[in-house]
Amino acid sequence: MLPIVLLSVLGIVLLFLGFLKSRAVLLPATLLFLAVTLAVNFLDWNKTYLFFNDMLRTNNLSMVFTAIMLGSAFMVVALSGSFMDTDEAQPAEYYALMLFSLVGAIMMVGFENLIMLFVGVEILSVAMYVLTGSDKRNLRSNEAALKYFLMGAFATGIMLFGIALLYGATGSFTIAGIGAYAANQQGLSLLLYVGLLMLLIGLLFKVSAAPFHFWTPDVYDGAPTIFTAFMSTVVKTAGFAALFRLLSVSFEGVYGFWWTILAIIAALTLVVGNITAVYQNSFKRMMAYSSISHAGYLLIGLASLGAQTKQAIVFYSLAYSVATISAFGVLLLVARQRSTQTITGEGVITENFDSFNGLARKNPLLGFTMAVSMLSLAGIPLTAGFWGKFYIFSTAVERGQIWLLVVAVLMSAVGIYYYFRVIIAMYFRDGATETIQVAPFYQYVLLGATIITIGLGIAPGLLQGLF
Amino acid sequence: MLTLFLIFYPVVAATLILMIRGERVKQAALVAALVEFGFVAFAFAGFRPDASSQFGFDYAWIGSLGIRFSAGIDGISILLVLLTGLLVPLIVLSTFKHSYKQSSLFYALMLYMQAALMGVFTARDGFLFYFFFEAALIPIYFLAAMWGGSNRVAVTFKFFVYTIFGSLFMLLALVYLYYQTPATDLSAHSAAIADFYKLNLTPAAQNWLFWAFFIAFAIKMPVFPFHTWQPDTYVESPTPATMLLAGIMLKMGVYGLIRFILPIVPLGVETWGRTAVVLAVIGIVYGSIIAIRQRDMKRLIAYSSFSHVGLMAAGVFSLTETGMQGALIQMLAHGINVVGMFFVADIIFSRTNTNQLDQLGGITKSTPRLTVFFMIMLLGSVALPLTNGFIGEFLLLHGVFTYNHYLGLAAGFTIIFGAVYMLRMFQKSMFGMPSARTESFADLSSTESLVFIPLVVLIFWIGIYPQTFLKVTEPSVVSIMKYIGTTAVSLK
């Protein structure tokens, strides 16, 4: 509750700060706002409250998800300095939109009523549509925004339709009411099933699960890198938190109906994401497909809903978010440094694997950060990503989903292939070996992310008291 | 507590070495590795020869899941701990002639590797074992890929993906076993390997678990047909990395067979053990025949190693006490011999710039010391009586022969073939007329001799009085045999 109010107010404050002559104040201000919100978020620890006519609930789980998203946003903003310096950029608007989108994301993790879920999804999405197209001069950015908007609007429509059908079936918008109906219903309830399916489709679109993923590569590729990082972490975490809440509270009673669907979608997502990622030449596009594949792993956790699922999803989201943001953080630096001048004098930013060649020689810290985040995304021990996969696999074993696990294991091996392309490029290939200047603060953020990844990889029990 | 030192001391030492610059790195690394060997020797001397786990420690790691940070040394572990502690200082010493770029990173990675290996061989928790099993891969990957030969990137990448792929199946098996252990409201499931031993698994489950474990370990060893990564990786890696791979790392696979497959899935072994033995025997013969045809010394030793490790796998699956004892002693012996052989290859390469047998020859003329040491390593490898290889191979072949006469006979070819390819290598490289490359071949320096002397001592020690090592492993082997339920052919 408090984070929602704070972020809304502070977002407006940020817009007004934009009138100031000096832009330099914006970034620290946003960071401060996010830090305050993060602290405030934990005020209600161990208490459960209902807000807005019982439409929103905060509990420990929602606070942990909120904290992950705020933390991710904090890191993204901290890494955004270079992008905001260009003349056309309007940092105040960007930061305000990020805060507003976080409001939507927080509503998605704590909703008690499907209307609230819908409103949350919309707040998050509309802000993201704008941010995707924020690079106004860039054709690809515009294309991405349009694509994202059209497809997203379509998906939201389906989702709203689903909510209406669920209301028709159960006579309730609250997830508890739907849950009571689903637990007691007998026989086949067509309205309920169709409604659930449509609602799922809407949310699966947001987390870019196959076959609803087609927008992802283009949008991730076209959007400015800093917003790609935001999109692939905050939006995904919010989407999975919402899916988890929905399925565990409302639809546990009809698990038999939806688990096969989710399992098939999970397998499909894993195969599509991983296999396609192998064929990419652009690092950014590879990360887009990698984000699809990670949605697949998280879906395995949902499809084998059980006592471990909560922990698995929280840990996985955290590990994935940290690794993804630091990877994009390094990409931002490298892409800026290695951008080539074309004849017309315009800088062309190269985001291919080749631009990482020889990076680790002169920039050991950047190389190490990138290597750790790639290892984490690939799920190699000593990193948080390993334990994320471990928890996910555990849930699936608990439910006895062996064939799904076999797919996941095969695809993990494929994943190693494309993540290691980056490591190989950085460490073993020759390339331009100039030193990249990194601002100290930027360095601390990258270092912090690396420490989190390794720390959680060595002592995954650290998070245990949290939920 | 001693085990904790064995695992963490190299990590600390390696991290300190990272900060050193210049020539002193080698000395520092050697001292660090010798101190670790001191710990190991202390453990070996103080080890009570019974089946218990000693020098252990046990902390909660992921408390709520019952996953523990727990390790200790028992009779199966002790020889491998000894091997690791012994070989690493020798491998460090063998690099004294070379200067590697970024040498502090090079030696730090070697010590990180040692820590992970110690963890693998002492872990008492299934997930801790997996953790180290994978963690060992990262330093060796970077060692091989940063300092290796021209084709190193592609080759080591294949190695990495291959082995990770295999061990993911083991992860599944471990998670499955974990959920089979009893849990109450008060206590979570357990991942302790000892608890896995107590499970009553259905035959169907045992069958797939057998393969999940076997593929992981078979790739690591490697057993035919999972060996395709091995020769290229051995050849392309810098020699110290090859020594770590062949000398210690492949033992992780054999160790896993004994530690996991035999006691946890005995029914699976009953059903599929024969297939595994047949694969191993195919590997023995196949590896030997290919080794005979090789022209490159390093590649020849790689194939011979592949052939030898097949015999170890066959011995373990013979389900006899002799076979298993043989596998344990042979792991030690093979580690010693193969490191010696690769060092010889490295010395020859560093002086002639080639390992091609047809470009070598006539080295004996000027090198009495190298000739003697090379010959002793070679005799150990071809299992001549009074050398370490004889004890190991004799016990292994006895085990396999008891299991099945025909397979035992086929595996016996390893000794004949071994003699053929090893002596051929010796003859082609050392005897004959000196070639242009070998004319001014200098004999061993004192540092180089210093590497060989401990190896030679051990070759004869194990060959003449193996009882020192057999008696520490026997009680643990007997206790593992109990889970298999075969009448153990006692070793007296």
Side-chain angles (χ1 to χ4, degrees):
Chain A
M1 165 68 177
L2 271 176
I4 292 183
V5 175
L6 257 181
L7 285 173
S8 310
V9 173
L10 293 175
I12 296 169
V13 172
L14 259 182
L15 282 177
F16 280 102
L17 282 181
F19 291 125
L20 292 177
K21 276 264 188 289
S22 155
R23 283 177 172 189
V25 72
L26 286 171
L27 192 134
T30 316
L31 287 180
L32 178 74
F33 293 168
L34 284 170
V36 168
T37 317
L38 188 60
V40 163
N41 174 45
F42 283 108
L43 280 184
D44 295 335
W45 190 246
N46 276 338
K47 289 177 226 152
T48 304
Y49 288 117
L50 285 168
F51 297 106
F52 303 130
N53 299 320
D54 300 347
M55 285 175 93
L56 208 58
R57 175 193 295 275
T58 59
N59 55 21
N60 281 7
L61 181 65
S62 76
M63 279 182 251
V64 168
F65 274 125
T66 307
I68 293 178
M69 294 186 302
L70 288 172
S72 306
F74 184 88
M75 287 202 288
V76 170
V77 171
L79 299 176
S80 66
S82 64
F83 175 71
M84 301 301 175
D85 288 341
T86 48
D87 287 338
E88 306 97 61
Q90 282 143 332
E93 280 84 343
Y94 299 159
Y95 290 135
L97 279 170
M98 280 165 120
L99 295 194
F100 292 146
S101 74
L102 280 170
V103 172
I106 295 173
M107 286 161 80
M108 282 169 75
V109 304
F111 68 94
E112 191 70 1
N113 189 306
L114 291 184
I115 300 298
M116 212 58 175
L117 170 67
F118 176 74
V119 173
V121 169
E122 278 302 271
I123 294 178
L124 177 69
S125 304
V126 171
M128 288 321 301
Y129 302 148
V130 180
L131 289 179
T132 306
S134 58
D135 194 357
K136 283 178 289 189
R137 306 281 172 86
N138 188 335
L139 204 59
R140 287 200 307 162
S141 176
N142 283 308
E143 184 198 332
L146 189 64
K147 218 175 237 178
Y148 193 20
F149 173 65
L150 287 178
M151 306 269 264
F154 198 60
T156 330
I158 293 178
M159 189 177 142
L160 198 55
F161 199 176
I163 294 176
L165 288 180
L166 282 176
Y167 182 73
T170 65
S172 170
F173 279 126
T174 63
I175 54 173
I178 296 171
Y181 179 86
N184 296 321
Q185 64 106 17
Q186 262 130 42
L188 185 87
S189 164
L190 203 58
L191 274 185
L192 181 78
Y193 288 166
V194 175
L196 168 60
L197 214 54
M198 291 181 123
L199 183 51
L200 279 182
I201 289 175
L203 284 171
L204 288 173
F205 173 88
K206 292 290 166 208
V207 300
S208 61
F212 314 111
H213 67 283
F214 290 100
W215 59 275
T216 317
D218 289 341
V219 171
Y220 278 28
D221 200 16
T225 305
I226 194 73
F227 299 131
T228 310
F230 188 79
M231 217 184 313
S232 57
T233 52
V234 172
V235 177
K236 193 145 287 191
T237 309
F240 273 99
L243 273 170
F244 173 68
R245 190 156 173 77
L246 198 65
L247 293 175
S248 63
V249 178
S250 292
F251 297 107
E252 213 180 354
V254 287
Y255 176 75
F257 164 70
W258 53 262
W259 83 261
T260 26
I261 299 173
L262 273 195
I264 291 168
I265 290 181
L268 194 64
T269 309
L270 282 171
V271 172
V272 168
N274 281 297
I275 302 286
T276 325
V278 169
Y279 294 99
Q280 302 308 314
N281 280 324
S282 151
F283 177 77
K284 216 167 150 190
R285 268 188 110 77
M286 182 278 274
M287 286 300 283
Y289 284 104
S290 128
S291 112
I292 295 174
S293 81
H294 287 286
Y297 292 112
L298 282 159
L299 280 173
I300 293 179
L302 286 177
S304 13
L305 189 70
Q308 301 283 332
T309 304
K310 184 169 74 173
Q311 195 171 5
I313 290 186
V314 169
F315 200 97
Y316 203 100
S317 316
L318 178 63
Y320 164 78
S321 299
V322 173
T324 304
I325 291 174
S326 58
F328 276 122
V330 177
L331 173 70
L332 272 172
L333 289 175
V334 172
R336 195 158 45 101
Q337 189 81 11
R338 304 273 160 97
S339 61
T340 48
Q341 297 288 322
T342 55
I343 308 162
T344 53
E346 269 186 67
V348 174
I349 289 179
T350 54
E351 283 159 343
N352 285 351
F353 285 103
D354 297 341
S355 40
F356 288 96
N357 282 356
L359 178 74
R361 302 259 165 77
K362 282 280 167 65
N363 307 282
L365 178 78
L366 290 184
F368 184 67
T369 305
M370 191 58 147
V372 168
S373 52
M374 288 296 116
L375 290 173
S376 184
L377 289 174
I380 310 286
L382 290 175
T383 60
F386 167 70
W387 292 105
K389 283 219 170 63
F390 171 82
Y391 285 131
I392 292 284
F393 287 1
S394 296
T395 60
V397 172
E398 208 177 12
R399 279 278 185 182
Q401 317 251 34
I402 299 298
W403 67 267
L404 195 52
L405 279 172
V406 171
V407 175
V409 164
L410 290 173
M411 288 305 128
S412 302
V414 175
I416 291 167
Y417 176 79
Y418 55 83
Y419 291 124
F420 265 69
R421 279 178 73 183
V422 185
I423 296 184
I424 288 173
M426 290 188 308
Y427 282 93
F428 313 133
R429 295 216 192 284
D430 294 320
T433 49
E434 75 278 32
T435 313
I436 297 178
Q437 293 300 326
V438 191
F441 182 66
Y442 204 104
Q443 225 165 38
Y444 297 142
V445 174
L446 290 181
L447 206 60
T450 309
I451 288 171
I452 294 175
T453 300
I454 293 179
L456 287 178
I458 290 171
L462 283 179
L463 268 191
Q464 228 152 53
L466 283 184
F467 40 86
Chain B
M1 278 313 280
L2 186 58
T3 317
L4 193 63
F5 278 117
L6 289 179
I7 298 172
F8 274 97
Y9 162 73
V11 175
V12 176
T15 311
L16 290 177
I17 282 175
L18 270 181
M19 297 164 191
I20 304 177
R21 293 272 170 270
E23 272 298 296
R24 284 172 304 159
V25 174
K26 286 175 189 169
Q27 281 82 357
L30 181 64
V31 170
L34 282 175
V35 171
E36 172 84 350
F37 177 65
F39 288 138
V40 170
F42 182 71
F44 188 72
F47 186 81
R48 284 190 316 281
D50 57 32
S52 63
S53 176
Q54 300 164 34
F55 312 113
F57 64 89
D58 185 20
Y59 305 109
W61 193 19
I62 312 181
S64 70
L65 293 184
I67 295 174
R68 305 195 65 80
F69 196 78
S70 165
I73 300 174
D74 71 355
I76 313 278
S77 311
I78 184 76
L79 287 192
L80 292 156
V81 169
L82 181 68
L83 180 73
T84 312
L86 183 83
L87 288 185
V88 172
L90 294 178
I91 294 171
V92 172
L93 191 62
S94 79
T95 61
F96 267 43
K97 279 250 160 153
H98 296 270
S99 59
Y100 293 97
K101 56 176 185 314
Q102 290 182 285
S103 59
S104 53
L105 184 59
F106 183 84
Y107 291 103
L109 284 173
M110 275 171 83
L111 290 175
Y112 283 132
M113 174 86 185
Q114 184 179 32
L117 289 166
M118 286 289 179
V120 169
F121 294 137
T122 58
R124 285 191 297 211
D125 183 288
F127 292 125
L128 188 63
F129 173 84
Y130 182 82
F131 182 79
F132 283 125
F133 194 80
E134 295 286 44
L137 205 52
I138 297 170
I140 195 73
Y141 170 72
F142 279 96
L143 274 175
M146 289 180 82
W147 289 275
S150 53
N151 197 17
R152 61 190 197 274
V153 172
V155 165
T156 51
F157 187 57
K158 179 178 173 187
F159 157 66
F160 191 87
V161 173
Y162 217 136
T163 45
I164 283 263
F165 173 71
S167 35
L168 281 169
F169 285 102
M170 178 168 73
L171 179 62
L172 283 193
L174 288 171
V175 173
Y176 177 83
L177 287 171
Y178 168 75
Y179 277 105
Q180 299 302 307
T181 57
T184 61
D185 289 343
L186 292 176
S187 67
H189 295 282
S190 158
I193 298 172
D195 287 337
F196 289 168
Y197 290 0
K198 295 180 200 139
L199 296 173
N200 283 316
L201 300 163
T202 62
Q206 297 212 9
N207 284 339
W208 79 259
L209 284 171
F210 175 87
W211 283 105
F213 277 120
F214 183 72
I215 290 177
F217 299 138
I219 289 175
K220 208 69 149 194
M221 286 193 275
V223 168
F224 179 86
F226 304 104
H227 64 282
T228 52
W229 62 266
Q230 188 223 25
D232 289 335
T233 308
Y234 281 17
V235 173
E236 289 295 331
S237 301
T239 307
T242 313
M243 290 173 177
L244 283 172
L245 274 169
I248 314 176
M249 198 161 170
L250 69 78
K251 274 72 179 184
M252 281 164 46
V254 186
Y255 175 80
L257 294 183
I258 300 175
R259 177 68 76 199
F260 285 89
I261 293 192
L262 294 190
I264 294 175
V265 289
L267 293 177
V269 174
E270 215 162 89
T271 318
W272 292 108
R274 184 166 296 259
T275 315
V277 176
V278 170
L279 286 180
V281 170
I282 292 175
I284 295 171
V285 178
Y286 176 73
S288 308
I289 292 174
I290 297 184
I292 293 176
R293 302 286 307 156
Q294 290 311 307
R295 296 201 178 134
D296 183 286
M297 280 183 82
K298 255 181 133 179
R299 199 169 274 274
L300 190 153
I301 304 167
Y303 277 108
S304 92
S305 170
F306 166 49
S307 165
H308 280 133
V309 82
L311 185 58
M312 293 179 219
V316 171
F317 281 117
S318 75
L319 306 181
T320 57
E321 194 190 321
T322 36
M324 226 175 336
Q325 282 276 47
L328 284 171
I329 200 88
Q330 179 68 357
M331 277 198 260
L332 186 62
H334 176 261
I336 292 164
N337 295 338
V338 85
V339 165
M341 295 299 268
F342 274 120
F343 190 40
V344 170
D346 186 48
I347 288 170
I348 291 179
F349 186 82
S350 67
R351 290 173 202 195
T352 61
N353 222 7
T354 182
N355 267 337
Q356 297 296 316
L357 287 174
D358 45 12
Q359 297 180 19
L360 297 169
I363 295 176
T364 41
K365 299 237 160 78
S366 55
T367 60
R369 270 179 282 172
L370 178 65
T371 311
V372 170
F373 285 132
F374 189 4
M375 197 67 206
I376 295 170
M377 297 298 139
L378 189 133
L379 294 178
S381 293
V382 303
L384 197 80
L386 292 185
T387 63
N388 58 0
F390 174 73
I391 306 294
E393 297 216 341
F394 178 78
L395 292 174
L396 284 167
L397 285 173
H398 183 275
V400 179
F401 196 74
T402 322
Y403 177 74
N404 181 311
H405 293 349
Y406 298 106
L407 288 172
L409 202 65
F413 279 117
T414 175
I415 294 200
I416 303 167
F417 284 142
V420 173
Y421 59 73
M422 283 295 176
L423 290 171
R424 177 175 161 273
M425 173 169 75
F426 191 79
Q427 181 199 353
K428 289 235 173 192
S429 59
M430 303 299 282
F431 293 141
M433 292 307 289
S435 69
R437 286 172 184 271
T438 59
E439 262 170 356
S440 54
F441 200 99
D443 202 2
L444 295 184
S445 69
S446 50
T447 340
E448 285 165 341
S449 307
L450 213 55
V451 177
F452 281 114
I453 289 165
L455 296 177
V456 168
V457 170
L458 276 161
I459 285 175
F460 287 119
W461 185 351
I462 301 172
I464 294 167
Y465 192 70
Q467 213 50 34
T468 328
F469 305 96
L470 287 175
K471 77 167 193 292
V472 293
T473 59
E474 193 179 0
S476 295
V477 169
V478 171
S479 83
I480 294 270
M481 294 297 295
K482 276 197 296 232
Y483 295 101
I484 308 168
T486 358
T487 356
V489 184
S490 188
L491 178 88
K492 281 289 168 289

